[in-house]
Amino acid sequence: MNTQENPTQDGYDVVVIGGGSAGLSAATALARSRRSVLVVDAGEPRNAPAAAAHNVIGHEGIAPTELLALGRKEAAGYGAEILSARAESARRSDTGFEIGLSGGTTVQARRLILATGLVDELPDLPGVRELWGKSVLHCPYCHGWEVRDRRVGVISSGPMSVHQTLLFRQLSDDVTFFTHSAPALESEARDQLEARDVRIVDGTVAELRADGEEVRAVVLEDGTEVEVDAVVVAPRFVARADLYEQLGGTVTDHPVGTLIETDPTGKTALPGVWAAGNSADLSAVVVVAAGAGVMTGAAVNADLIAEETAAAVEERAARGLTFAE
Ligand SMILES: Cc1cc2nc3c(=O)[nH]c(=O)nc-3n(C[C@H](O)[C@H](O)[C@H](O)COP(=O)(O)OP(=O)(O)OC[C@H]3O[C@@H](n4cnc5c(N)ncnc54)[C@H](O)[C@@H]3O)c2cc1C
């Protein structure tokens, strides 16, 4: 595989920060367009805690690490270079951007794609972080089928918790909603939950009781234990945007987190900077992030073509050549 230890000092058409589904898809689209591409990846894809990735056409249930290994091989097969490193700084330079990497190296790029994903900020409850992605879940499309007909407990921890409960109720008749520290349920929400036979347990959750990776019970502060087979929480989704901010960008607030705002092709407010996947779309699952990556790779290629074509026209005119001649 074309996995670089020493990236070229000559610079790349495009440096992609992040080698998840979005970044590797962007890199493949660019490398197939004969662009020089470097993917810098710190190797912490968001779904790493999960054993399997679902709703991935052609690879249903594949291990997340295996899917990305295939993606790296495909991108490298077309000449993309992939570097295991962290991009620590980004600044504008005469030719585009200079990216500072862990280890002290710098690389140059004409365009930058931020496919850095997001951080799931989890509710601060003992047991949640330890079981995250195993039996503490958030996404019905990622793990819902796997907990169908099981005892599911939803801990209210975000503005989408009632909606999330109704989605999991589609998969199991045995769903309990823990009001926890959320503001009092509005009567419409309480009506909806009760109408769908969701049990509502008032009171603050203290911790989760588990057996290995399996959650066994939600424990309330008053000592009450409610037995469950899976717990659902609503993390805050925070785009990894430190490089975007270093370049002068500002993240956009969203009801469930923050993101890098883009147009549908991934173009940000900063000239030459693009974003794809969870950094720009908090709800993107694997194939959606991959689709965004392809779209952004194509858009960046088109942007470079426009720049190169304008330069060629200018250069031709400088030589005194016109179409009529
Ligand atoms: C527990 C869990 C389970 C999930 N299960 C599913 C599922 O079954 N099916 C599904 O479709 N979706 C699932 N998802 C969603 C899935 O994880 C995302 O859709 C997907 O990871 C988004 O891809 P991405 O490329 O945008 O970001 P990521 O996959 O998170 O990749 C971002 C990459 O960028 C790297 N990076 C970040 N900053 C830097 C930096 N400064 N320098 C270098 N590298 C950097 C990170 O280390 C990481 O490798 C799940 C999510 C979670 C939390």
Side-chain angles (χ1 to χ4, degrees):
M1 199 196 299
N2 198 5
T3 304
Q4 287 290 107
E5 289 300 323
N6 297 305
T8 173
Q9 296 307 303
D10 299 339
Y12 296 86
D13 288 329
V14 186
V15 169
V16 180
I17 314 291
S21 302
L24 291 171
S25 300
T28 300
L30 285 158
R32 281 175 51 78
S33 297
R34 311 188 80 177
R35 292 295 175 188
S36 60
V37 190
L38 175 70
V39 179
V40 181
D41 184 40
E44 295 161 346
R46 189 182 162 211
N47 54 348
H54 296 284
N55 271 321
V56 179
I57 186 169
H59 291 291
E60 177 53 31
I62 191 171
T65 46
E66 193 185 339
L67 182 70
L68 295 183
L70 290 171
R72 282 196 294 276
K73 198 168 165 200
E74 287 163 0
Y78 291 107
E81 296 172 15
I82 299 168
L83 182 70
S84 294
R86 183 174 300 281
E88 292 180 336
S89 64
R91 67 172 189 86
R92 285 196 185 274
S93 65
D94 292 345
T95 51
F97 301 93
E98 183 177 279
I99 318 301
L101 306 179
S102 48
T105 330
T106 57
V107 288
Q108 309 290 326
R110 294 169 65 196
R111 300 288 185 274
L112 193 58
I113 298 180
L114 301 173
T116 44
L118 63 76
V119 175
D120 292 283
E121 287 186 356
L122 298 170
D124 187 16
L125 280 175
V128 167
R129 179 160 301 285
E130 297 83 337
L131 303 175
W132 174 239
K134 276 104 181 157
S135 52
V136 174
L137 317 169
H138 75 299
C139 161
Y141 304 103
C142 305
H143 338 257
W145 171 263
E146 285 62 42
V147 298
R148 68 194 182 284
D149 297 332
R150 309 297 302 278
R151 295 169 299 180
V152 178
V154 182
I155 300 177
S156 183
S157 36
M160 301 304 285
S161 289
V162 170
H163 176 63
Q164 219 179 5
T165 307
L166 296 173
L167 293 179
F168 275 91
R169 175 66 183 81
Q170 166 67 15
L171 295 149
S172 174
D173 291 344
D174 191 335
V175 178
T176 305
F177 181 87
F178 295 88
T179 57
H180 188 43
S181 55
L185 266 182
E186 286 179 12
S187 59
E188 187 188 352
R190 193 169 277 271
D191 276 354
Q192 288 175 344
L193 295 178
E194 286 175 355
R196 295 306 313 270
D197 297 321
V198 172
R199 260 185 312 280
I200 300 174
V201 173
D202 290 310
T204 307
V205 175
E207 61 175 335
L208 305 182
R209 183 165 59 73
D211 187 2
E213 292 185 344
E214 300 298 324
V215 66
R216 296 291 183 219
V218 174
V219 184
L220 300 182
E221 274 186 348
D222 67 6
T224 309
E225 291 201 11
V226 179
E227 292 195 349
V228 292
D229 302 308
V231 160
V232 172
V233 296
R236 199 172 131 73
F237 303 132
V238 179
R240 287 198 190 94
D242 42 336
L243 299 175
Y244 187 63
E245 290 175 328
Q246 283 181 31
L247 288 164
T250 307
V251 293
T252 300
D253 286 329
H254 181 280
V256 295
T258 54
L259 54 83
I260 299 173
E261 197 163 321
T262 68
D263 78 1
T265 70
K267 193 172 188 186
T268 72
L270 302 181
V273 182
W274 308 67
N278 275 161
S279 60
D281 176 356
L282 303 180
S283 65
V285 291
V286 165
V287 294
V288 176
V294 175
M295 171 74 87
T296 297
V300 170
N301 182 46
D303 189 49
L304 288 168
I305 288 170
E307 179 181 278
E308 289 154 2
T309 304
V313 168
E314 203 174 305
E315 194 261 343
R316 189 167 179 267
R319 283 193 285 125
L321 300 174
T322 65
F323 182 73
E325 291 161 334

